[in-house]
Amino acid sequence: MNLEDLIPTDEICARYRVESTFVSSLYESGLIEIITVEETEYVHCDEISEFERLWRLHYDLDINLEGLEAIQHLLRQVRKLQKKNLELKNRLGLYE
């Protein structure tokens, strides 16, 4: 993994004006992934869009951590069902 693709959690906290405990709680809940390199915690740049979505839900809509976990779980289920639906449509197309 390239260090250039990693953003320090301190920088994220400063940029988004959030407590480090918010980032830590997202990690502990499994909502984002934190990578530790030489005692510094980082978030991969691919995770920033997910962090921003969770940040907006929490701060703009005042959804607590448990609500964020529930939303994340439901979104995973929706994506899985959409994928399954597409697979079934493709299989059905073979018989038409």
Side-chain angles (χ1 to χ4, degrees):
M1 185 166 299
N2 196 353
L3 197 59
E4 294 173 354
D5 296 336
L6 302 177
I7 302 167
T9 56
D10 294 341
E11 185 178 322
I12 292 171
C13 292
R15 184 178 299 165
Y16 292 95
R17 296 184 182 131
V18 297
E19 298 282 329
S20 61
T21 55
F22 176 68
V23 178
S24 297
S25 62
L26 292 177
Y27 169 69
E28 290 168 2
S29 297
L31 298 173
I32 63 170
E33 185 178 337
I34 292 180
I35 302 159
T36 304
V37 178
E38 296 179 9
E39 298 183 21
T40 303
E41 294 181 337
Y42 297 92
V43 174
H44 195 275
C45 63
D46 293 342
E47 295 261 344
I48 292 299
S49 61
E50 182 67 21
F51 171 80
E52 287 177 346
R53 187 174 61 78
L54 295 167
W55 173 75
R56 282 191 302 275
L57 288 171
H58 181 70
Y59 287 99
D60 292 347
L61 299 178
D62 201 29
I63 297 175
N64 64 13
L65 187 61
E66 291 79 14
L68 294 176
E69 291 173 3
I71 290 169
Q72 182 76 354
H73 175 72
L74 290 172
L75 286 173
R76 277 192 215 119
Q77 283 185 324
V78 167
R79 284 186 210 111
K80 190 185 300 184
L81 288 171
Q82 287 173 333
K83 182 180 176 184
K84 184 67 173 175
N85 189 27
L86 183 61
E87 290 172 3
L88 291 172
K89 283 182 180 179
N90 290 339
R91 282 180 51 196
L92 183 61
L94 293 174
Y95 298 108
E96 293 181 329

